[in-house]
Amino acid sequence: MTEREPKADIPPTIPETQARIAPADPLAAVEPVPAEAEHVPEPPDVNFAEYYHEARPRTLRHRARVRSTVRRRSVSQDGPASGENPVYVSWLLSQSMLGHADELARQFSGQGSMWQNPYASPGPRHAVETASVWFTAYPISLITASGESFLAALGDEALWQAFETIGIEGVHTGPVKKAGGLSGWQPTPSVDGHFDRISNELDPAFGTEDEFRAMCATATWHGGTIIDDIVPGHTGKGPDFRLAELAYGDYPGIYHMVEIEQSDWGMLPDVPPGKDSANLDAATEEALEKAGYIVGRLQRVIFYREGVKETNWSATGEVTGVDGVVRRWVYLHYFKDGQPSVNWLDPTFAGMRMVIGDALHSLADLGSGALRLDANGFLGVEKAGSGNPGWSEGHPLSEAANHLIASMVRKVGGFTFQELNLTVDDIKVTSEAGADLSYDFINRPAYHHALATSDTEFLRLTLRTALDLGVDPASLVHALQNHDELTYELVHWTAGHTDELFHFRGEDMRGGDLADTIRRDLCDVLTGPDAPYNLIFTTNGIACTTATVIAASLGISALDDIGPDDVERIRRVHLLLVMFNAFQPGVFALSGWDLLGMLTLPPDSVSDLLNSGDTRWISRPAHDLMGHRPDAERSSSGMPRGRSLYGSLPDQLTEETSFVRQMQAILAVRKRSGVATARQVDVPDVSHRGLLVMVHLLDDDRTSVTVLNFADEQVDAFVRSEHLAPGATVTDLFSGETVGTVDDLNGFRIGMAPFRATAVVLEPPAEDAGAA
């Protein structure tokens, strides 16, 4: 097979790479050119898991499996949907998550397969070694081939060949199990993008269990891993919640729900016609707290919206239970009213049983290798005294519950990651015993701020804060866009360190004021009249895609005006953000919206979805990864197709200067250098406000430096750190060329073009190398 070097006209964002690509096969993998003087790393230390399973490949270590799939009963629908109808109750039981979990759990009790894996401590580097580059899917936004389900599309051989070529090793499917609720016998739609789970069954809209298992098999064949979801924090209003309302068995113990005495019903709000609950206002919340029913006010109200959600508590209407008693309940929901919160410290432990059963089903029955824990930071609730809000964030019960979930997953051979938007201190605590990896909410808004302002000061502050507080970057999932908004709550500064002083822009600033400044900067640049295509999402953040963040930062005011030159500029900046996230220890994650360079949707195209105030729908455009249906205007789930700046994966893989081809080169060098499992040792001061420098100690004890220019100007950068040894040779990791020598001030110079990023490795001075 004929080989040739990549073209020399790759934009200056990415230096020339030592890689050879076969033009005859656009899906051929990038292979590094052997270097005569290539450093041979020392064998890494053997960890606990490898000591006991040294002969097993990392992706094929012992995995516990169900002995047989639990059969789901089919129960007919007949009569009224009430607790007095045993047929209705049996129908609910046949579909309940708790019932399925109890049946599934019995298959693992007393089995030796449950004792083959270490489970007590998180293993972030083991998780990173298993899959260090993830594709994060969003089921309702993927355009598939005609008649093909979402899961069949994610299991497609051609897609996985493309992923393997690019360097993608894991796929997070997003939520694919049934979600939404029940109104009597009838299902109701999801209120939060399928994160309001009501069943362990897969939603037929996304595919079948056989297709899920086939997807896992294809991923394994290509050296990949499938990552599924569980939601420990809440469910939807499905069979389990309806059984809880009916006061059936253990089911009320699943939730934070309290029966209100009939004599106190006058305190409760009326439930509007067509609704099954009503949100409490602050006065009612306080009254019920004083009456001894509920914890009351909590530390914050997520998704606050006047007249819709003013507190975290809602009241049901009158419900006749299985015992004939009419009840009204008040229940907790951290998120929307259709997402009742799970109680992790009820004497029945019903909530815990339900969640663990869901995890076992995904891992041991369907075959996924990892799980995302969603809404897992709010599992403990405790009443506070002296009029203070209830303790609901950073609670020890959350830490204990996360330890249990993550330990169970490790015990059956998988790993977990969490989207925990809490303080850095809390992320540190949970990382000591909970999930193996945490989503990087620390630096995500900060690198957007660096781009929006051409100033990395806040980004340097967030990176240093994580290091100072002991959060290992290798334990983080560094991501571009996912299904949510660009979060700018900055909880570390607004909650845990509000009054602490931080030095920023030449003065000492309170944490709360610092957060306000950053949010104001982001909103001023990324939204408003100059960027109307991005929308603020309540108090949480900004609805946008990575491409529209870049467009706004570049001063593009109308997406329809984006031409070929603008696409090239956006692509260059997009690759800069790839370099920031990929060239530090940990997992690098990106979505289909990133791979294809998707723009936000016009609000009027999703106006029905925006009626609830959830502006995030504009940032979830339908997209066609493989170019199956270029004429399709919507996904099979009905999401409108958005505009792609880069084109489909097959098209990009035929063009050596495309976004994915240049990212392929980045990921190939990343893998060869081992930066994903390195240790970050310094984020030094910089010689220009637009520069960022990260210093890493590689597994072979060499030092690597990542240099990024967030400014739209040429910078003659002086890179200095106490970790740079004088006399060391500075070698470009991409070209293999020597670009300088570390001087006696522990620094070196390197020219940085606008929005350019590079990475270098330091080779010790000749005399030191000879002595070694």
Side-chain angles (χ1 to χ4, degrees):
M1 183 168 61
T2 304
E3 292 184 340
R4 61 185 173 87
E5 296 291 333
K7 291 181 179 179
D9 60 353
I10 292 180
T13 312
I14 306 302
E16 292 291 347
T17 179
Q18 285 182 291
R20 291 182 177 176
I21 302 173
D25 181 3
L27 299 181
V30 172
E31 298 179 356
V33 175
E36 294 181 4
E38 186 173 359
H39 182 86
V40 179
E42 293 294 327
D45 292 336
V46 177
N47 63 30
F48 183 87
E50 291 165 338
Y51 178 79
Y52 284 99
H53 306 294
E54 68 280 356
R56 295 173 181 165
R58 284 189 173 88
T59 57
L60 297 177
R61 290 201 181 114
H62 187 91
R63 295 279 299 282
R65 296 294 187 204
V66 294
R67 297 193 297 277
S68 62
T69 298
V70 176
R71 291 184 176 274
R72 296 181 173 88
R73 294 170 290 163
S74 177
V75 178
S76 61
Q77 302 179 20
D78 185 35
S82 82
E84 298 173 298
N85 179 5
V87 176
Y88 179 63
V89 175
S90 294
W91 180 75
L92 292 175
L93 287 169
S94 71
Q95 301 178 77
S96 78
M97 291 186 287
L98 179 58
H100 183 249
D102 286 344
E103 290 186 62
L104 188 65
R106 295 187 191 103
Q107 296 197 39
F108 294 89
S109 298
Q111 299 299 309
S113 62
M114 293 298 293
W115 300 102
Q116 305 308 308
N117 298 301
Y119 63 85
S121 301
R125 281 177 168 76
H126 172 63
V128 171
E129 289 168 355
T130 301
S132 71
V133 180
W134 298 355
F135 169 77
T136 58
Y138 193 63
I140 65 176
S141 293
L142 184 65
I143 296 175
T144 64
S146 181
E148 183 180 49
S149 72
F150 167 76
L151 292 174
L154 277 192
D156 180 66
E157 172 67 25
L159 176 64
W160 271 97
Q161 189 178 355
F163 281 167
E164 188 175 8
T165 298
I166 295 167
I168 294 171
E169 303 163 332
V171 166
H172 175 214
T173 62
V176 293
K177 294 183 179 180
K178 287 183 178 178
L182 287 175
S183 178
W185 299 98
Q186 300 302 315
T188 57
S190 170
V191 299
D192 190 24
H194 270 71
F195 287 100
D196 45 348
R197 179 166 297 174
I198 62 170
S199 173
N200 292 345
E201 292 185 69
L202 296 183
D203 191 322
F206 301 137
T208 66
E209 290 194 352
D210 286 341
E211 288 175 327
F212 195 108
R213 295 184 184 101
M215 172 183 64
C216 292
T218 303
T220 300
W221 179 259
H222 287 273
T225 298
I226 296 297
I227 305 164
D228 196 7
D229 283 83
I230 62 169
V231 187
H234 54 246
T235 70
K237 289 183 175 178
D240 296 87
F241 184 74
R242 297 309 178 196
L243 286 164
E245 284 184 313
L246 300 179
Y248 181 89
D250 293 346
Y251 285 82
I254 295 176
Y255 302 101
H256 286 281
M257 58 191 306
V258 178
E259 180 183 350
I260 307 300
E261 296 292 336
Q262 189 168 0
S263 58
D264 289 326
W265 285 4
M267 301 169 65
L268 303 179
D270 294 331
V271 176
K275 301 288 186 179
D276 62 2
S277 63
N279 190 247
L280 306 186
D281 59 25
T284 305
E285 177 186 58
E286 182 180 4
L288 289 173
E289 177 194 359
K290 290 180 177 179
Y293 283 113
I294 62 175
V295 171
R297 182 168 58 99
L298 301 182
Q299 288 169 269
R300 58 175 166 154
V301 180
I302 299 173
F303 298 157
Y304 176 89
R305 189 181 178 199
E306 187 175 356
V308 176
K309 187 189 177 187
E310 298 183 5
T311 71
N312 293 303
W313 302 89
S314 287
T316 71
E318 297 181 13
V319 182
T320 302
V322 293
D323 54 3
V325 175
V326 179
R327 295 177 176 84
R328 290 195 71 182
W329 306 84
V330 168
Y331 67 94
L332 173 69
H333 53 95
Y334 279 108
F335 295 89
K336 299 178 181 180
D337 64 350
Q339 296 168 288
S341 294
V342 173
N343 184 353
W344 277 83
L345 200 58
D346 183 82
T348 65
F349 291 97
M352 180 190 299
R353 287 154 47 203
M354 179 189 69
V355 172
I356 295 297
D358 191 11
L360 289 174
H361 176 246
S362 290
L363 293 160
D365 193 351
L366 296 180
S368 59
L371 295 174
R372 184 184 73 153
L373 311 181
D374 184 70
N376 68 314
F378 314 101
L379 307 185
V381 183
E382 184 172 334
K383 185 176 177 64
S386 304
N388 293 319
W391 188 5
S392 56
E393 297 186 16
H395 195 283
L397 178 58
S398 284
E399 299 161 19
N402 279 288
H403 192 187
L404 284 169
I405 299 167
S407 293
M408 180 61 74
V409 172
R410 288 189 286 268
K411 200 172 185 184
V412 298
F415 68 86
T416 55
F417 86 98
Q418 60 186 2
E419 290 196 29
L420 190 60
N421 190 17
L422 297 178
T423 67
V424 181
D425 317 67
D426 290 332
I427 293 174
K428 166 62 176 175
V429 170
T430 60
S431 70
E432 293 173 350
D436 299 281
L437 302 165
S438 294
Y439 202 80
D440 188 0
F441 282 120
I442 305 167
N443 300 304
R444 188 163 178 250
Y447 77 74
H448 285 100
H449 184 265
L451 180 62
T453 62
S454 299
D455 189 341
T456 66
E457 184 177 4
F458 183 61
L459 179 54
R460 282 177 272 129
L461 175 60
T462 61
L463 287 163
R464 290 168 178 169
T465 299
L467 283 178
D468 291 344
L469 294 178
V471 173
D472 183 357
S475 69
L476 300 177
V477 177
H478 312 286
L480 294 174
Q481 184 187 353
N482 69 356
H483 64 281
D484 273 331
E485 74 285 353
L486 190 178
T487 301
Y488 60 25
E489 291 174 291
L490 302 171
V491 177
H492 182 79
W493 288 270
T494 59
H497 300 266
T498 304
D499 295 319
E500 185 176 331
L501 294 179
F502 297 88
H503 193 73
F504 185 70
R505 292 180 178 169
E507 61 178 304
D508 289 333
M509 188 179 295
R510 293 174 59 256
D513 295 333
L514 172 61
D516 289 341
T517 298
I518 300 304
R519 284 194 293 263
R520 184 167 56 251
D521 289 345
L522 288 169
C523 289
D524 287 348
V525 176
L526 303 183
T527 67
D530 293 333
Y533 41 80
N534 297 324
L535 298 178
I536 293 173
F537 172 61
T538 65
T539 59
N540 291 55
I542 298 171
C544 54
T545 67
T546 304
T548 60
V549 167
I550 298 168
S553 299
L554 294 176
I556 297 172
S557 59
L559 298 183
D560 290 342
D561 294 341
I562 293 177
D565 291 342
D566 296 313
V567 172
E568 170 55 31
R569 295 171 67 209
I570 291 171
R571 180 174 63 182
R572 179 179 299 183
V573 179
H574 211 153
L575 289 165
L576 170 76
L577 302 185
V578 168
M579 278 289 292
F580 168 73
N581 286 286
F583 262 76
Q584 56 181 311
V587 167
F588 166 53
L590 76 167
S591 64
W593 300 303
D594 289 302
L595 287 172
L596 273 56
M598 300 300 299
L599 304 179
T600 50
L601 292 167
D604 58 6
S605 69
V606 285
S607 55
D608 291 344
L609 295 171
L610 300 185
N611 286 338
S612 66
D614 193 342
T615 58
R616 292 175 298 177
W617 292 107
I618 68 165
S619 59
R620 298 165 175 168
H623 51 282
D624 188 352
L625 280 178
M626 298 300 288
H628 288 306
R629 290 194 292 151
D631 297 329
E633 296 182 356
R634 293 180 178 270
S635 69
S636 58
S637 297
M639 283 301 296
R641 187 186 195 120
R643 178 185 172 188
S644 166
L645 299 182
Y646 307 150
S648 69
L649 294 186
D651 287 347
Q652 289 192 64
L653 287 168
T654 62
E655 174 54 57
E656 293 177 11
T657 61
S658 68
F659 175 77
V660 298
R661 274 300 192 190
Q662 293 191 72
M663 187 175 69
Q664 175 190 14
I666 293 172
L667 297 180
V669 175
R670 175 184 190 261
K671 187 168 187 175
R672 187 167 69 243
S673 68
V675 72
T677 55
R679 287 194 304 113
Q680 192 169 97
V681 294
D682 195 15
V683 181
D685 291 334
V686 291
S687 58
H688 185 280
R689 66 196 295 265
L691 291 177
L692 177 71
V693 175
M694 298 181 290
V695 182
H696 303 113
L697 183 63
L698 302 175
D699 291 340
D700 58 14
D701 291 331
R702 293 187 299 167
T703 299
S704 173
V705 182
T706 304
V707 187
L708 305 103
N709 181 11
F710 283 82
D712 192 8
E713 61 181 278
Q714 178 76 30
V715 176
D716 180 20
F718 180 68
V719 177
R720 183 185 180 280
S721 169
E722 295 298 327
H723 294 270
L724 309 185
T729 301
V730 182
T731 303
D732 191 306
L733 275 170
F734 288 84
S735 67
E737 298 176 352
T738 298
V739 295
T741 302
V742 179
D743 61 24
D744 292 337
L745 296 177
N746 305 93
F748 63 90
R749 291 194 176 276
I750 187 168
M752 299 295 296
F755 300 125
R756 183 187 179 218
T758 193
V760 300
V761 66
L762 272 57
E763 303 290 354
E767 59 272 18
D768 293 347

